[in-house]
Amino acid sequence: MANSASGESIIGRFVKIVSAFDDSHPSMSVAELGRRTGLPVTTAYRLVNDLLLERLLDRGPDGNVHIGTRMWELVSRGSKMVGLREAALPFMEDVQAVVQHSTTLGILDSDEVLYIERIGSHSTSVDITKIAGRLPLHATSSGLVLLANAPSEYQESALARPLTKFTETTLTDPPQLRRHLAEIRQRGYAVMPGVIVKESSGIAVPVFGPDNTVVAALSVVVPRNEENVPARVPVLMASARGISRALGWRGELKGALRQSR
């Protein structure tokens, strides 16, 4: 694979270009792309032209470029995330209809929670989750569910990293987090009040795959004054059970999950 004078591969430079787009920068000029990626303008122009030829980027009427439809098409083909989202979506709609607040589906990826599906709500103004968005494991209910069910070696590696304290309720002390993770495994769900946004609470439960490992976390984000854990948790657990069985899981739920039958 060809490298640049700086030693960076072509694929690495393509990834820089594609990663430069986000909610705040859905389209931009090639010159701006060069500034955001740190690539020389001539290199950025050459790479953008290659991506435009392959229709991985498209050019708008204003001359700016944005992620192309073909990029979405190629990424969606064969992705295991497509099957997980399709299995989860009907059950997520059920949760959202009952809870009337944002419902999300997150997976563990690169030491963060990656949200692969979200059903929003007009009544929710305290939810910062978004599809293809990432949040820290230690500061989200989904992240803690995923971390609690990850291998112990992974947990120790995650707890050894610097942990940002977003609000006064964010847990950052490793021994305290270990105890909290053990409690989550025991009861089968996580509740995190105000750990990133003070006004909201996240409630999450695990989703199991056919090999009985946790493959995702199903969660709702509600205002703290509407937390109502005894009412929210059974709804989430029933839907998580449905998603798990749609994925081929045939096991027995543990802890509080079993009690919700």
Side-chain angles (χ1 to χ4, degrees):
M1 184 179 295
N3 289 344
S4 66
S6 65
E8 189 174 32
S9 70
I10 292 175
I11 293 297
R13 285 175 283 169
F14 278 167
V15 169
K16 272 189 173 181
I17 291 285
V18 174
S19 299
F21 296 95
D22 56 27
D23 285 352
S24 301
H25 303 84
S27 69
M28 63 191 93
S29 67
V30 179
E32 186 177 359
L33 263 175
R35 289 193 294 271
R36 281 181 58 78
T37 59
L39 295 170
V41 174
T42 54
T43 301
Y45 270 100
R46 187 176 72 254
L47 293 174
V48 166
N49 283 334
D50 288 343
L51 292 168
L52 287 169
L53 285 172
E54 298 296 334
R55 294 187 292 119
L56 300 177
L57 293 181
D58 289 333
R59 192 184 297 278
D62 58 359
N64 288 349
V65 294
H66 56 269
I67 297 293
T69 304
R70 182 162 170 74
M71 177 79 76
W72 169 85
E73 175 191 352
L74 294 175
V75 169
S76 296
R77 289 181 184 174
S79 171
K80 64 180 182 179
M81 296 303 100
V82 174
L84 178 54
R85 290 174 64 188
E86 288 179 348
L89 195 54
F91 297 97
M92 293 178 66
E93 290 171 345
D94 291 343
V95 172
Q96 204 275 339
V98 173
V99 177
Q100 295 291 303
H101 290 289
S102 294
T103 305
T104 68
L105 187 71
I107 62 170
L108 183 63
D109 186 75
S110 299
D111 303 328
E112 295 173 301
V113 185
L114 171 62
Y115 293 94
I116 63 171
E117 189 57 86
R118 175 184 182 272
I119 302 177
S121 169
H122 293 302
S123 62
T124 300
S125 59
V126 294
D127 180 17
I128 62 172
T129 62
K130 56 187 177 183
I131 294 177
R134 294 175 178 271
L135 287 175
L137 292 174
H138 73 287
T140 58
S141 58
S142 291
L144 287 173
V145 161
L146 294 167
L147 188 57
N149 290 280
S152 57
E153 298 82 5
Y154 182 90
Q155 291 181 23
E156 290 306 311
S157 173
L159 296 181
R161 294 190 295 270
L163 303 174
T164 302
K165 194 170 186 66
F166 296 94
T167 71
E168 67 275 5
T169 60
T170 309
L171 298 179
T172 58
D173 177 59
Q176 188 178 6
L177 272 167
R178 288 188 190 95
R179 291 191 295 271
H180 193 58
L181 294 175
E183 292 170 0
I184 291 170
R185 285 192 297 274
Q186 172 65 28
R187 68 186 180 217
Y189 66 90
V191 179
M192 295 303 293
V195 289
I196 290 184
V197 178
K198 291 182 179 181
E199 297 81 10
S200 69
S201 290
I203 307 169
V205 299
V207 173
F208 292 86
D211 60 354
N212 208 37
T213 60
V214 173
V215 296
L218 177 68
S219 70
V220 291
V221 180
V222 300
R224 288 183 72 171
N225 61 353
E226 298 181 33
E227 194 174 88
N228 196 3
V229 173
R232 311 298 193 194
V233 169
V235 174
L236 280 169
M237 288 180 171
S239 291
R241 187 183 307 116
I243 299 169
S244 299
R245 288 178 176 160
L247 293 172
W249 172 81
R250 295 293 181 268
E252 285 294 323
L253 297 175
K254 296 180 180 180
L257 282 170
R258 182 178 297 157
Q259 298 168 16
S260 70
R261 292 179 178 181

